[in-house]
Every structure is written in structure tokens, then in C-alpha cells.
Amino acid sequence: MNKNDVRHFDAVVVGAGFAGMYMLHRLRGLGLRAVVLEAGGGVGGTWYWNRYPGARCDVESMEYSYQFSDELQQEWEWSERYAAQPEILRYANHVADRFDLRRDIQFNARVASMAFDGAKLQWTLTTQREDFTARFCIMATGCLSSPNTPDFKGVDLFQGDIYHTGLWPHEEVSFHGKRVAVVGTGSSAVQSIPLIAQQADQLYVFQRTPNYAVPAHNHVLDPKHQQAVKAEYPALRARAKLNATGIDFDYSERLALETSHEEREREYEARWQRGGLSFLGAFMDIMTEEEANRTASDFVRAKIRRTVRDPEVAELLAPKNTIGCKRLCIDTGYYETFNRPNVTLEDVSRSPIEISPSGVSAAGRAYEVDGIVFATGFDAMTGALAKIDIRGSNGTSLEEQWAEGPRAYLGLMTVGFPNMFTVTGPGSPSVLTNMLPTIEQHVDWIAEAVAYMRSNRVSRMEPTLEAQDAWVAHGNELAGRTLRYTCGSWYLGANIPGKPRVFMPYIGGLPRYMMKCREVVDKGYEGFLLS
Ligand code: N01
């Protein structure tokens, strides 16, 4: 096939993670000719790239799974409470095989540009090898898929090995006998540091901002528990959708500020012992009232001080900001790792890191290392889209249009980009929820919209500016009421220099969001222009 060849499809899906795979399945079900273009060499999206030691989901396996096929959810056996990356990737591959998806996925096909032709009412997508045209284009590019490597001075001169947690090599990496630096202390670092410390001769952790971590208490899944969950799967899935996060947690309706100190401590301790993200569900006002939030953060700080033997190190590890403002980390032995003699914590909050040919220097000290692990996160939610030169109906690029922050109606479509859908795009609950059910809800909505267009002879769909503006304003208004604005998180784009500070996910909760999506359809796609 020559580079100039153009292949035509009814729909092109960009990305073969969980969103792209299910989208392909649904489009096929509608009888469309569809293809998925995937930059990687296999399915799985974020789980294909994030292979760092300790990579594991922070949502329990029995819920972090598809529910569109009851046979699939009944037959698949998870081995642990929180599945590790290799198992999740095996699951993704199983789904690809089970639904015969691979024959319509082009691997190693990175989309470089996309442009909409208003006369032909079609998108043209270019890759290095071939070009594609289609009426519908579905961006399943993921929320945390564009790794962020800050521009550290001297990084090009470093003579050792450099890794990024979000772009981990596919071959085994051994740190035995090595001196290693880890830069960053977010979820990826919290998961990988305990395992790297077990191998490395010496580990230096460079921390700019400490993060809160709650124990995972991961364990092998008891087959009886698994059977019991499977016996009531539909009820569990339905219950989960009634919660803001789409996870079947026990969210308390009590207020921390109206509960006695003893009772609060009892509740926090019970949730600490259970482990996982439901810690923040202990009281309803944790994310809305600073004082309530402090009761939860004080509890975690006390745990850190009791766990870490060196009081100075414990103080450095104890976060001072709002708990839950950044994504809560779920750990296995993170704080305990700092009691090891081969682990050193370096505070780099006041002076930036510099890199030399032989190591890392910070705060006036130099550390010779053989390898550096950047656990520096992602250009979240918009990064993967911004890497593609996407041109809409009047030639404007999406990146330019979103220069002041992403604007999309329901996180599903953007004015000026007809027939282009985003799965879990900015303005949808996405990263604040269990991604799998959220992905399914979006894919189902998109499939229904495409089916509607085809059966009603509609060839072009995009939101109205009024509907989009109102949705963005509503999202901002809700976000402003929470404590999530009080720290420099990736939800706000604060981790990327120059990125506008806009709270990107929809914070109104999954039930309210799903109801809105349903209403829009029931009212004949209210807020969309159909022609
Ligand atoms: O990235 P992060 P992550 N100099 O952005 C530091 C999901 N995830 O890959 O906080 C020095 O959280 C930065 O410091 P600061 C999950 O949603 C899930 O860890 O900006 N340090 C921070 O410490 C998660 O939230 C799982 O001051 C610099 C770190 O790098 C999201 O992915 C596992 C720096 C980045 O932390 C991202 O997590 C892993 C600089 N110039 C990830 N720049 C699960 O459990 C950045 N940092 C499913």
C-alpha cells in the first residue's frame, strides 16, 4: 500500500484502549464499516504503556471491568482485589480475541492530523502509512495517555538510563545493584517506589509535593466472594451508577463537622483498615468544607508520623494541602519504604532539579545515579488530542480553539468539529469515576447518536454554542464549590507549564450527568444542531 492511498470507512476510531475496543464492537453491531487506529503495538491503551513496577488499578477488579456482555463478566476470573497491569492487559487482549476485534484495528498507526471537509461531510485522518476518510470520527485517546516529561536542565546529557512510568519499556527492567532516582510522588511513584527500593542498591526520591496515600490492602480474591459478586452483578452495577464516582462504595451521608472526634476517628480507622478510595466517602463534607477536610487529612498525617521512623522524613512526607484535591493514592508499603536504609527522600519544593551526565542535583546536593525514573505524570485529558493536528469545519485547530481551556458539550462533542465525538472528554465525569462504566455510557450514547443520524438521514451533528457555553459554565460553577481548586492538580492542568487553569472533568457526579445525557436524547438531541 502506498502512502497516497486513502481508505474509506463509515467511522474511524482513534485509540484501542477500553474505549476504542468497545466503540468498535458497537459500531460493528450497527452495521458500520469501522476501523480503529492505534499508535501502540497492541490493545489496552494506558495499560499497554504503563508497565512500571507496581502498576495496578485503584478501582477493585470486580468493578473495573466491562459490563456490556454478561457472558464476559461471568467468564473472566480476576485473581486479586486490585488487578495488576499484566492482568488488566491480559483482560484487554482476551476481550479483543473474544469479540474478534483485531481484524479491524491497525496497530502502530499514529494519527498525525485530522481535517473535516464540510462539502463532503467527512473527516480525513493521516497516519505515516495511509490516509483514511470517514463520516464519523470517534476519539478514544484516553485521559491519561500523553506522558509529561518536564524540561529538566541537562537531561539530554545524562549518561545513564532514563525511564518514564507512562512509557515503560516492554522488556524486563532490573534495578538490582543500581543507584536510582525517582522524580515525582504521585500515584505512579507511590506504586513503583516500594518495588524499585527492593531491587536498587540506593534509591533517591525527589519530591516536590507530598501526596496522601491510603493503604490498598490488596489480596488474592476469594473464589467464593467472586462467585457471590457474579451472582448479583446486575444489582451491583446498578447500585454503583447511583454513586457520584460510579463505584459501589458505602458513601456516608453524615457530616464530619457534626460528628464527635471519637466517632470520626472510628469511622476513618474502619475505612483505613478496609483500604482504598472509599476513605474519602467517610463524610459528606470532606470535599466541601475545609474544616471537615482537615479532620481527614489530620488522620492520615498522624498515620504517616506513626509509620515513618525518622520524624524529619515523616514531616516531609506529610502533605499540607487538601486531601482529595489531588487524586488520592492507594499504596502498598509506600510510607514504610522510607524506613529502609537504602532510600533517601529529597525535598525539591524550593529548588528545581538539574541533571548532569552522572546524576541529579537538587537543593545544593548532587546524587550520582545509574538510572532516572520520571514519574511525572501526564498532560491529562487534552494532551493526547493536542498531539494531533485536528482541524474543524472552518479550518480552526482544536488546540487553538481550546487555548483558554477545553470547551465541549457534555464532554462528547465540540462546536466546529462536526461528527467528531470524544469518549470521556473534558466536561464529562471521566477521571472522577470508575472509567470502565463511564466509557461504556459514552460509547453507548455515541452509538445511539450515530444510529439516530443514519435512520433519520442526518449527516452532520455538532453542539450549539449556547448549549456548550451553558454546560461549561455549569461545570465551572460546580467545580468552584468544592475544595478541588485549592491545589495544583492535573485535573486543573496545573502540572503543565502554560496550560490554562480550568477544572477539566465534570464534577456533578455520574448520576446527574447520565440523567442529563438521557434527557438530551429524549428531547430530540437538545443542544445539538442536526442537518
Ligand atoms: O502523575 P501525577 P502520576 N519537578 O501528576 C511531580 C492515574 N494513575 O503518573 O505534585 C519535580 O499525579 C509532581 O509534583 P507536583 C491517577 O489518576 C492511576 O503519578 O506537581 N517534580 C508529582 O509528584 C493519577 O492521579 C494509577 O508538585 C515534578 C508527580 O511528578 C494519574 O494517573 C496509577 C515536576 C506527578 O504526579 C497521574 O499519576 C498511576 C518537576 N518539574 C496513575 N513535574 C492507579 O492506581 C512533575 N513533578 C490506577
Side-chain angles (χ1 to χ4, degrees), residues 109-125:
R110 183 177 286 282
V111 176
S113 70
M114 296 171 41
F116 185 72
D117 181 330
K120 292 185 182 159
L121 291 173
Q122 71 180 18
W123 282 93
T124 300
L125 296 92

mmCIF file with all atom_site columns, all heavy atoms in Angstrom, residues 109-125:
data_model
loop_
_atom_site.group_PDB
_atom_site.id
_atom_site.type_symbol
_atom_site.label_atom_id
_atom_site.label_alt_id
_atom_site.label_comp_id
_atom_site.label_asym_id
_atom_site.label_entity_id
_atom_site.label_seq_id
_atom_site.pdbx_PDB_ins_code
_atom_site.Cartn_x
_atom_site.Cartn_y
_atom_site.Cartn_z
_atom_site.occupancy
_atom_site.B_iso_or_equiv
_atom_site.pdbx_formal_charge
_atom_site.auth_seq_id
_atom_site.auth_comp_id
_atom_site.auth_asym_id
_atom_site.auth_atom_id
_atom_site.pdbx_PDB_model_num
ATOM 1   N N   . ALA A 1 109 ? -0.203  2.674  14.186 1.00 0.00 ? 109 ALA A N   1
ATOM 2   C CA  . ALA A 1 109 ? -0.752  3.678  13.257 1.00 0.00 ? 109 ALA A CA  1
ATOM 3   C C   . ALA A 1 109 ? -1.101  4.928  14.065 1.00 0.00 ? 109 ALA A C   1
ATOM 4   O O   . ALA A 1 109 ? -2.212  5.055  14.580 1.00 0.00 ? 109 ALA A O   1
ATOM 5   C CB  . ALA A 1 109 ? -1.989  3.122  12.562 1.00 0.00 ? 109 ALA A CB  1
ATOM 6   N N   . ARG A 1 110 ? -0.122  5.789  14.215 1.00 0.00 ? 110 ARG A N   1
ATOM 7   C CA  . ARG A 1 110 ? -0.347  7.021  14.990 1.00 0.00 ? 110 ARG A CA  1
ATOM 8   C C   . ARG A 1 110 ? -0.987  8.063  14.084 1.00 0.00 ? 110 ARG A C   1
ATOM 9   O O   . ARG A 1 110 ? -0.465  8.345  12.995 1.00 0.00 ? 110 ARG A O   1
ATOM 10  C CB  . ARG A 1 110 ? 0.981   7.534  15.545 1.00 0.00 ? 110 ARG A CB  1
ATOM 11  C CG  . ARG A 1 110 ? 0.829   8.769  16.421 1.00 0.00 ? 110 ARG A CG  1
ATOM 12  C CD  . ARG A 1 110 ? 2.160   9.197  17.011 1.00 0.00 ? 110 ARG A CD  1
ATOM 13  N NE  . ARG A 1 110 ? 2.616   8.334  18.083 1.00 0.00 ? 110 ARG A NE  1
ATOM 14  C CZ  . ARG A 1 110 ? 2.144   8.369  19.327 1.00 0.00 ? 110 ARG A CZ  1
ATOM 15  N NH1 . ARG A 1 110 ? 1.201   9.232  19.650 1.00 0.00 ? 110 ARG A NH1 1
ATOM 16  N NH2 . ARG A 1 110 ? 2.617   7.551  20.243 1.00 0.00 ? 110 ARG A NH2 1
ATOM 17  N N   . VAL A 1 111 ? -2.096  8.629  14.508 1.00 0.00 ? 111 VAL A N   1
ATOM 18  C CA  . VAL A 1 111 ? -2.768  9.658  13.710 1.00 0.00 ? 111 VAL A CA  1
ATOM 19  C C   . VAL A 1 111 ? -2.023  10.972 13.903 1.00 0.00 ? 111 VAL A C   1
ATOM 20  O O   . VAL A 1 111 ? -1.822  11.425 15.034 1.00 0.00 ? 111 VAL A O   1
ATOM 21  C CB  . VAL A 1 111 ? -4.258  9.793  14.127 1.00 0.00 ? 111 VAL A CB  1
ATOM 22  C CG1 . VAL A 1 111 ? -4.919  10.933 13.365 1.00 0.00 ? 111 VAL A CG1 1
ATOM 23  C CG2 . VAL A 1 111 ? -4.993  8.478  13.883 1.00 0.00 ? 111 VAL A CG2 1
ATOM 24  N N   . ALA A 1 112 ? -1.607  11.565 12.776 1.00 0.00 ? 112 ALA A N   1
ATOM 25  C CA  . ALA A 1 112 ? -0.853  12.818 12.856 1.00 0.00 ? 112 ALA A CA  1
ATOM 26  C C   . ALA A 1 112 ? -1.781  14.009 12.699 1.00 0.00 ? 112 ALA A C   1
ATOM 27  O O   . ALA A 1 112 ? -1.625  15.022 13.379 1.00 0.00 ? 112 ALA A O   1
ATOM 28  C CB  . ALA A 1 112 ? 0.212   12.846 11.767 1.00 0.00 ? 112 ALA A CB  1
ATOM 29  N N   . SER A 1 113 ? -2.759  13.893 11.787 1.00 0.00 ? 113 SER A N   1
ATOM 30  C CA  . SER A 1 113 ? -3.651  15.031 11.566 1.00 0.00 ? 113 SER A CA  1
ATOM 31  C C   . SER A 1 113 ? -5.033  14.554 11.169 1.00 0.00 ? 113 SER A C   1
ATOM 32  O O   . SER A 1 113 ? -5.218  13.413 10.721 1.00 0.00 ? 113 SER A O   1
ATOM 33  C CB  . SER A 1 113 ? -3.082  15.942 10.474 1.00 0.00 ? 113 SER A CB  1
ATOM 34  O OG  . SER A 1 113 ? -3.166  15.282 9.231  1.00 0.00 ? 113 SER A OG  1
ATOM 35  N N   . MET A 1 114 ? -5.994  15.440 11.375 1.00 0.00 ? 114 MET A N   1
ATOM 36  C CA  . MET A 1 114 ? -7.392  15.155 11.028 1.00 0.00 ? 114 MET A CA  1
ATOM 37  C C   . MET A 1 114 ? -7.993  16.457 10.533 1.00 0.00 ? 114 MET A C   1
ATOM 38  O O   . MET A 1 114 ? -7.757  17.506 11.126 1.00 0.00 ? 114 MET A O   1
ATOM 39  C CB  . MET A 1 114 ? -8.176  14.738 12.273 1.00 0.00 ? 114 MET A CB  1
ATOM 40  C CG  . MET A 1 114 ? -7.718  13.458 12.898 1.00 0.00 ? 114 MET A CG  1
ATOM 41  S SD  . MET A 1 114 ? -8.503  13.155 14.508 1.00 0.00 ? 114 MET A SD  1
ATOM 42  C CE  . MET A 1 114 ? -10.186 13.648 14.255 1.00 0.00 ? 114 MET A CE  1
ATOM 43  N N   . ALA A 1 115 ? -8.790  16.374 9.461  1.00 0.00 ? 115 ALA A N   1
ATOM 44  C CA  . ALA A 1 115 ? -9.437  17.601 8.971  1.00 0.00 ? 115 ALA A CA  1
ATOM 45  C C   . ALA A 1 115 ? -10.830 17.260 8.487  1.00 0.00 ? 115 ALA A C   1
ATOM 46  O O   . ALA A 1 115 ? -11.046 16.199 7.889  1.00 0.00 ? 115 ALA A O   1
ATOM 47  C CB  . ALA A 1 115 ? -8.608  18.214 7.848  1.00 0.00 ? 115 ALA A CB  1
ATOM 48  N N   . PHE A 1 116 ? -11.762 18.185 8.751  1.00 0.00 ? 116 PHE A N   1
ATOM 49  C CA  . PHE A 1 116 ? -13.147 17.960 8.332  1.00 0.00 ? 116 PHE A CA  1
ATOM 50  C C   . PHE A 1 116 ? -13.406 18.689 7.023  1.00 0.00 ? 116 PHE A C   1
ATOM 51  O O   . PHE A 1 116 ? -13.066 19.867 6.872  1.00 0.00 ? 116 PHE A O   1
ATOM 52  C CB  . PHE A 1 116 ? -14.112 18.471 9.417  1.00 0.00 ? 116 PHE A CB  1
ATOM 53  C CG  . PHE A 1 116 ? -15.544 18.170 9.106  1.00 0.00 ? 116 PHE A CG  1
ATOM 54  C CD1 . PHE A 1 116 ? -16.030 16.870 9.182  1.00 0.00 ? 116 PHE A CD1 1
ATOM 55  C CD2 . PHE A 1 116 ? -16.421 19.187 8.720  1.00 0.00 ? 116 PHE A CD2 1
ATOM 56  C CE1 . PHE A 1 116 ? -17.365 16.577 8.891  1.00 0.00 ? 116 PHE A CE1 1
ATOM 57  C CE2 . PHE A 1 116 ? -17.750 18.903 8.437  1.00 0.00 ? 116 PHE A CE2 1
ATOM 58  C CZ  . PHE A 1 116 ? -18.222 17.593 8.518  1.00 0.00 ? 116 PHE A CZ  1
ATOM 59  N N   . ASP A 1 117 ? -13.989 17.988 6.079  1.00 0.00 ? 117 ASP A N   1
ATOM 60  C CA  . ASP A 1 117 ? -14.358 18.576 4.794  1.00 0.00 ? 117 ASP A CA  1
ATOM 61  C C   . ASP A 1 117 ? -15.867 18.806 4.824  1.00 0.00 ? 117 ASP A C   1
ATOM 62  O O   . ASP A 1 117 ? -16.655 17.858 4.786  1.00 0.00 ? 117 ASP A O   1
ATOM 63  C CB  . ASP A 1 117 ? -13.964 17.599 3.680  1.00 0.00 ? 117 ASP A CB  1
ATOM 64  C CG  . ASP A 1 117 ? -14.280 18.147 2.296  1.00 0.00 ? 117 ASP A CG  1
ATOM 65  O OD1 . ASP A 1 117 ? -15.247 18.937 2.174  1.00 0.00 ? 117 ASP A OD1 1
ATOM 66  O OD2 . ASP A 1 117 ? -13.578 17.776 1.346  1.00 0.00 ? 117 ASP A OD2 1
ATOM 67  N N   . GLY A 1 118 ? -16.259 20.088 4.904  1.00 0.00 ? 118 GLY A N   1
ATOM 68  C CA  . GLY A 1 118 ? -17.672 20.432 5.049  1.00 0.00 ? 118 GLY A CA  1
ATOM 69  C C   . GLY A 1 118 ? -18.497 20.101 3.822  1.00 0.00 ? 118 GLY A C   1
ATOM 70  O O   . GLY A 1 118 ? -19.703 19.873 3.917  1.00 0.00 ? 118 GLY A O   1
ATOM 71  N N   . ALA A 1 119 ? -17.870 20.096 2.635  1.00 0.00 ? 119 ALA A N   1
ATOM 72  C CA  . ALA A 1 119 ? -18.616 19.792 1.404  1.00 0.00 ? 119 ALA A CA  1
ATOM 73  C C   . ALA A 1 119 ? -18.904 18.293 1.318  1.00 0.00 ? 119 ALA A C   1
ATOM 74  O O   . ALA A 1 119 ? -20.019 17.865 1.039  1.00 0.00 ? 119 ALA A O   1
ATOM 75  C CB  . ALA A 1 119 ? -17.818 20.265 0.192  1.00 0.00 ? 119 ALA A CB  1
ATOM 76  N N   . LYS A 1 120 ? -17.882 17.528 1.614  1.00 0.00 ? 120 LYS A N   1
ATOM 77  C CA  . LYS A 1 120 ? -18.059 16.066 1.528  1.00 0.00 ? 120 LYS A CA  1
ATOM 78  C C   . LYS A 1 120 ? -18.627 15.485 2.827  1.00 0.00 ? 120 LYS A C   1
ATOM 79  O O   . LYS A 1 120 ? -18.945 14.298 2.878  1.00 0.00 ? 120 LYS A O   1
ATOM 80  C CB  . LYS A 1 120 ? -16.721 15.397 1.231  1.00 0.00 ? 120 LYS A CB  1
ATOM 81  C CG  . LYS A 1 120 ? -16.175 15.696 -0.147 1.00 0.00 ? 120 LYS A CG  1
ATOM 82  C CD  . LYS A 1 120 ? -14.912 14.890 -0.375 1.00 0.00 ? 120 LYS A CD  1
ATOM 83  C CE  . LYS A 1 120 ? -14.311 15.200 -1.717 1.00 0.00 ? 120 LYS A CE  1
ATOM 84  N NZ  . LYS A 1 120 ? -12.901 14.848 -1.789 1.00 0.00 ? 120 LYS A NZ  1
ATOM 85  N N   . LEU A 1 121 ? -18.673 16.306 3.850  1.00 0.00 ? 121 LEU A N   1
ATOM 86  C CA  . LEU A 1 121 ? -19.133 15.865 5.175  1.00 0.00 ? 121 LEU A CA  1
ATOM 87  C C   . LEU A 1 121 ? -18.348 14.642 5.638  1.00 0.00 ? 121 LEU A C   1
ATOM 88  O O   . LEU A 1 121 ? -18.922 13.619 6.031  1.00 0.00 ? 121 LEU A O   1
ATOM 89  C CB  . LEU A 1 121 ? -20.639 15.561 5.157  1.00 0.00 ? 121 LEU A CB  1
ATOM 90  C CG  . LEU A 1 121 ? -21.542 16.785 4.979  1.00 0.00 ? 121 LEU A CG  1
ATOM 91  C CD1 . LEU A 1 121 ? -22.996 16.367 4.799  1.00 0.00 ? 121 LEU A CD1 1
ATOM 92  C CD2 . LEU A 1 121 ? -21.420 17.710 6.188  1.00 0.00 ? 121 LEU A CD2 1
ATOM 93  N N   . GLN A 1 122 ? -17.053 14.771 5.557  1.00 0.00 ? 122 GLN A N   1
ATOM 94  C CA  . GLN A 1 122 ? -16.238 13.654 6.038  1.00 0.00 ? 122 GLN A CA  1
ATOM 95  C C   . GLN A 1 122 ? -14.916 14.137 6.639  1.00 0.00 ? 122 GLN A C   1
ATOM 96  O O   . GLN A 1 122 ? -14.425 15.219 6.331  1.00 0.00 ? 122 GLN A O   1
ATOM 97  C CB  . GLN A 1 122 ? -15.985 12.624 4.940  1.00 0.00 ? 122 GLN A CB  1
ATOM 98  C CG  . GLN A 1 122 ? -15.052 13.090 3.859  1.00 0.00 ? 122 GLN A CG  1
ATOM 99  C CD  . GLN A 1 122 ? -14.825 12.044 2.771  1.00 0.00 ? 122 GLN A CD  1
ATOM 100 O OE1 . GLN A 1 122 ? -15.598 11.099 2.631  1.00 0.00 ? 122 GLN A OE1 1
ATOM 101 N NE2 . GLN A 1 122 ? -13.779 12.215 2.002  1.00 0.00 ? 122 GLN A NE2 1
ATOM 102 N N   . TRP A 1 123 ? -14.382 13.295 7.490  1.00 0.00 ? 123 TRP A N   1
ATOM 103 C CA  . TRP A 1 123 ? -13.088 13.546 8.108  1.00 0.00 ? 123 TRP A CA  1
ATOM 104 C C   . TRP A 1 123 ? -12.007 12.820 7.310  1.00 0.00 ? 123 TRP A C   1
ATOM 105 O O   . TRP A 1 123 ? -12.236 11.696 6.837  1.00 0.00 ? 123 TRP A O   1
ATOM 106 C CB  . TRP A 1 123 ? -13.072 13.011 9.543  1.00 0.00 ? 123 TRP A CB  1
ATOM 107 C CG  . TRP A 1 123 ? -13.778 13.902 10.514 1.00 0.00 ? 123 TRP A CG  1
ATOM 108 C CD1 . TRP A 1 123 ? -15.085 13.824 10.899 1.00 0.00 ? 123 TRP A CD1 1
ATOM 109 C CD2 . TRP A 1 123 ? -13.211 15.014 11.208 1.00 0.00 ? 123 TRP A CD2 1
ATOM 110 N NE1 . TRP A 1 123 ? -15.364 14.827 11.799 1.00 0.00 ? 123 TRP A NE1 1
ATOM 111 C CE2 . TRP A 1 123 ? -14.228 15.571 12.010 1.00 0.00 ? 123 TRP A CE2 1
ATOM 112 C CE3 . TRP A 1 123 ? -11.949 15.605 11.236 1.00 0.00 ? 123 TRP A CE3 1
ATOM 113 C CZ2 . TRP A 1 123 ? -14.022 16.680 12.832 1.00 0.00 ? 123 TRP A CZ2 1
ATOM 114 C CZ3 . TRP A 1 123 ? -11.740 16.709 12.049 1.00 0.00 ? 123 TRP A CZ3 1
ATOM 115 C CH2 . TRP A 1 123 ? -12.764 17.243 12.840 1.00 0.00 ? 123 TRP A CH2 1
ATOM 116 N N   . THR A 1 124 ? -10.847 13.458 7.177  1.00 0.00 ? 124 THR A N   1
ATOM 117 C CA  . THR A 1 124 ? -9.674  12.771 6.628  1.00 0.00 ? 124 THR A CA  1
ATOM 118 C C   . THR A 1 124 ? -8.639  12.683 7.743  1.00 0.00 ? 124 THR A C   1
ATOM 119 O O   . THR A 1 124 ? -8.337  13.690 8.399  1.00 0.00 ? 124 THR A O   1
ATOM 120 C CB  . THR A 1 124 ? -9.070  13.540 5.431  1.00 0.00 ? 124 THR A CB  1
ATOM 121 O OG1 . THR A 1 124 ? -10.069 13.628 4.427  1.00 0.00 ? 124 THR A OG1 1
ATOM 122 C CG2 . THR A 1 124 ? -7.841  12.827 4.876  1.00 0.00 ? 124 THR A CG2 1
ATOM 123 N N   . LEU A 1 125 ? -8.131  11.487 7.961  1.00 0.00 ? 125 LEU A N   1
ATOM 124 C CA  . LEU A 1 125 ? -7.124  11.278 9.015  1.00 0.00 ? 125 LEU A CA  1
ATOM 125 C C   . LEU A 1 125 ? -5.850  10.785 8.351  1.00 0.00 ? 125 LEU A C   1
ATOM 126 O O   . LEU A 1 125 ? -5.906  9.891  7.479  1.00 0.00 ? 125 LEU A O   1
ATOM 127 C CB  . LEU A 1 125 ? -7.590  10.230 10.025 1.00 0.00 ? 125 LEU A CB  1
ATOM 128 C CG  . LEU A 1 125 ? -8.828  10.583 10.844 1.00 0.00 ? 125 LEU A CG  1
ATOM 129 C CD1 . LEU A 1 125 ? -10.078 10.074 10.159 1.00 0.00 ? 125 LEU A CD1 1
ATOM 130 C CD2 . LEU A 1 125 ? -8.724  9.992  12.243 1.00 0.00 ? 125 LEU A CD2 1
#
